Amino acid sequence: MTRRYTPRAYAKVATEHLNAHERCALWAKPGMGKSVITMTWLDTLHNIVGESAPTLVLAPLRVARDTWTHEARKWDHLRGLSVVSVIGDAKQRAAALRKDAQVYTTNYENLVWLRDHFKDAGKAWPFRTVVADESTKLKGFRLKQGGVRAQAVGAVAHAQVKRWINLTGTPASNGLKDLWGQTWFLDAGQRLGRTYSSFEERWFAYKRVKDAISGKPGIVPTILPHAHEDIHARLADICLTLDPKDWFDIKDPVTNVIEVELPAAVRVKYRELERELFTMFGSQEVEAFNAAAKSLKCLQMANGAVYLDPEKYGPDQAVEVHTEKLDALEELAAETGDDPLLVAYQFRSDLWRLLKRFPDALDLSRKDHLDAARAGQGKIWLGHPAGMGHGVDGLQEHCNTLVFFAQDWNLEYHDQILERVGPMRQMQAGKDRPVFVHYIVARGTVDEAVMARRVSKRSVQDALMNYMKGKR
């Protein structure tokens, strides 16, 4: 495989971007080395420039606990950078903060505790530099409302923090509306508006459209025609995109849609649930109380099992209604020989049924099973996209095939589980082989709407990131 540029080349571009801006964003797909690039910059900041105040790294739990400390030990040039994880219970977190270090890492769930810890002790916020790894966790920030975690750090983001770096590979996985909350931490609303409402009023309008599931009309915000170019241009100076295709000769995954047909009796029940928000399987009732619940119930039915009312039937009770997707996965497993399949599921009922059909499957939420997969054991590897997006590595050594048993609206989770075995990871492992992605889709169900919506979300995000590349 021929590389047009060395890894050091794009690392140099990214480091120059970080050096040029005290507050900026680095958008790069998993595997491009966002963590090590940022730590190299932090090492220079602390050990050469002489920054005395510590740095805070915010990240998903597994990344805060494992990835940053592991990367610091892995690279020889980072041996002088001290990194401490602030995780565990309150006593363990407080003890970690008492250790002398240049970089402290913690998960987003600890933000409220972290703010209160210093406030209750009568101490000022000590971190002059903050790195938000997977910064989409901050997209829900609002000045007066929004998530309490983002609110907790928002109070000090500009008053007491000098440098702020956002890291993510999916800045707008659900559309351009994701950008306001993240960008506020960089410029306090200078580019996209001081408040979220002003941002929305300027670039969005409300439009009457048909619901993808029910076909009934509804009011949804729609981005105005000029908004894409305008928003892209406003962010171009502080956002840098690193696309592996610009630096390496890698190919897109080979995608395949495996369509299954619901049995006739199940299809009748599916349509009844769509229309009436209620249906029955034997004596067991399935009811959706609103449109959001109906979407979930329809996705469950497309997969083959539907959850029942917990008040009437008890918690986590589901009724299996068909096995079409299980049958399709079994056929695919037989066709692919001994090569492992990474299978993405959505609901606990999916996991139970998959483990029942494939008793030797590895549940990657278990550490011993994850270690076994890393060693190349097992044929079926089961992972939930929400738990596979961060800090899970090594799977690409033995696997180059991903199967979406279930479909989900979240593009960010979709892309992150794909990157566990994606083209960039294959290249890192020295594997010159294609990546295969199979989608098992129930024909004529909400699965098809999810697939279509994912394409439209990707077009928005790709346009944004391609614009930033052109401004590099």
Side-chain angles (χ1 to χ4, degrees), residues 398-449:
H398 306 283
C399 180
N400 65 320
T401 303
L402 172 62
V403 183
F404 283 93
F405 177 84
Q407 307 308 318
D408 178 54
W409 301 99
N410 194 308
L411 174 62
E412 181 177 4
Y413 290 161
H414 170 279
D415 286 359
Q416 287 175 345
I417 192 171
L418 171 57
E419 288 301 330
R420 297 310 101 199
V421 296
M424 187 66 184
R425 297 291 184 184
Q426 299 296 324
M427 188 204 68
Q428 289 178 332
K431 310 288 186 181
D432 186 10
R433 61 188 182 186
V435 173
F436 297 94
V437 182
H438 301 276
Y439 299 91
I440 304 180
V441 174
R443 189 182 293 113
T445 71
V446 68
D447 277 358
E448 295 179 336

Side-chain angles (χ1 to χ4, degrees), residues 234-289:
R234 286 171 177 268
L235 298 180
D237 63 320
I238 57 170
C239 299
L240 173 68
T241 293
L242 293 178
D243 189 334
K245 293 179 183 178
D246 294 338
W247 307 93
F248 305 101
D249 293 325
I250 61 175
K251 297 179 175 62
D252 290 332
V254 179
T255 61
N256 174 43
V257 177
I258 302 172
E259 293 188 329
V260 300
E261 192 76 47
L262 296 184
V266 177
R267 182 167 297 281
V268 170
K269 298 294 185 181
Y270 183 91
R271 297 303 177 207
E272 185 177 30
L273 179 63
E274 278 189 323
R275 184 177 63 254
E276 306 292 343
L277 302 185
F278 178 86
T279 191
M280 294 187 68
F281 291 92
S283 61
Q284 296 171 309
E285 301 175 359
V286 175
E287 185 172 10
F289 295 98

Side-chain angles (χ1 to χ4, degrees), residues 433-467:
R433 61 188 182 186
V435 173
F436 297 94
V437 182
H438 301 276
Y439 299 91
I440 304 180
V441 174
R443 189 182 293 113
T445 71
V446 68
D447 277 358
E448 295 179 336
V450 173
M451 293 283 287
R453 179 59 176 150
R454 190 182 296 133
V455 171
S456 66
K457 286 182 178 180
R458 182 173 303 286
S459 66
V460 171
Q461 179 164 275
D462 286 352
L464 170 68
M465 298 185 77
N466 286 334
Y467 183 92

